[in-house]
């Protein structure tokens, strides 16, 4: 946990190479811990998820994609064997976020159809598994709208972003990053 936290601190300090160093140290420590599913699958997926997003930030899209695939698989392995329902739900939310990230990585490469399929899959699964007012559903609406823009399906994009903005406007604890992202996406469509 410490090395993962240090990696995060370096990331927020814009010291990306140091961040990667600490995330990799965290993975090495996890390799030495007991082989419980929480360590082997869940915690490794958490760290690798950070590495995937970091690699994307560094322009290493292929590495980000491979890390994301490993993250998604590790969360699924954890979900399949864990008996702890609260951790399983966290793993599911994190897994769906990793699928969103993977879709976003493909979108950044211009693979709009592939991105749209992944993001739509995640969105549908969130709607089935999460409460209606969960912020993760709103996030999916925003990135789904962005994926639809890539496909030039402005009608679907507009419908999704209107739903996201309506959800955000109902919330008492506005997440300003996602509110700004939704408004920016809406402006792109208009």
């Amino acid at each position: 946990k410490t090395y993962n936290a240090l990696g995060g601190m370096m990331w927020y300090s814009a010291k990306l190479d140091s961040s990667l160093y600490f995330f990799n140290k965290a993975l090495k420590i996890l390799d030495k811990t007991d082989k419980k599913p929480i360590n082997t699958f869940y915690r490794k997926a958490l760290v690798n998820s950070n590495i995937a997003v970091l690699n994307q930030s560094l322009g290493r899209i292929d590495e980000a994609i491979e890390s994301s695939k490993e993250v998604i698989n590790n969360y699924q392995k954890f979900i399949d064997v864990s008996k702890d329902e609260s951790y399983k739900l966290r793993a599911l939310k994190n897994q769906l976020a990793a699928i969103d990230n993977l879709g976003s990585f493909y979108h950044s490469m211009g693979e709009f159809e592939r991105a749209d399929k992944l993001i739509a899959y995640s969105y549908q699964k969130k709607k089935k598994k999460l409460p209606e007012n969960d912020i993760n559903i709103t996030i999916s609406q925003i990135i789904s709208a962005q994926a639809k823009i890539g496909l030039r399906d402005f009608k679907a994009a507009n419908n999704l972003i209107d739903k996201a903005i309506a959800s955000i406007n109902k919330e008492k604890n506005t997440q300003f990053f996602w509110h700004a992202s939704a408004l920016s996406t809406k402006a792109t469509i208009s």
Side-chain angles (χ1 to χ4, degrees), residues 56-67:
Q56 191 267 347
S57 296
L58 292 169
R60 301 174 188 156
I61 304 298
D62 290 336
E63 291 175 46
I65 287 170
E66 290 311 309
S67 291

Side-chain angles (χ1 to χ4, degrees), residues 65-156:
I65 287 170
E66 290 311 309
S67 291
S68 292
K69 289 176 182 178
E70 184 179 342
V71 167
I72 293 162
N73 288 332
N74 276 340
Y75 279 129
Q76 190 58 53
K77 289 174 186 175
F78 179 79
I79 291 166
D80 290 344
V81 299
S82 179
K83 305 284 188 244
D84 185 323
E85 291 302 319
S86 68
Y87 265 107
K88 284 173 79 164
L89 179 59
R90 285 187 227 170
L92 175 65
K93 285 182 174 187
N94 291 336
Q95 181 189 48
L96 295 173
I99 293 169
D100 291 340
N101 288 342
L102 181 59
S104 295
F105 300 156
Y106 282 121
H107 190 270
S108 72
M109 295 172 57
E111 292 191 36
F112 301 124
E113 287 183 28
R114 194 175 203 174
D116 183 59
K117 285 179 184 173
L118 286 164
I119 293 167
Y121 168 81
S122 173
Y123 177 46
Q124 293 306 316
K125 198 158 183 178
K126 286 177 188 179
K127 288 194 318 185
K128 287 180 187 171
K129 301 283 186 176
L130 303 178
E132 190 176 295
N133 64 343
D134 192 297
I135 186 65
N136 292 293
I137 292 174
T138 305
I139 291 168
S140 274
Q141 291 165 336
I142 296 166
I143 61 175
S144 291
Q146 293 165 349
K148 296 295 183 194
I149 291 169
L151 293 173
R152 318 287 297 161
D153 187 349
F154 297 111
K155 184 176 180 181

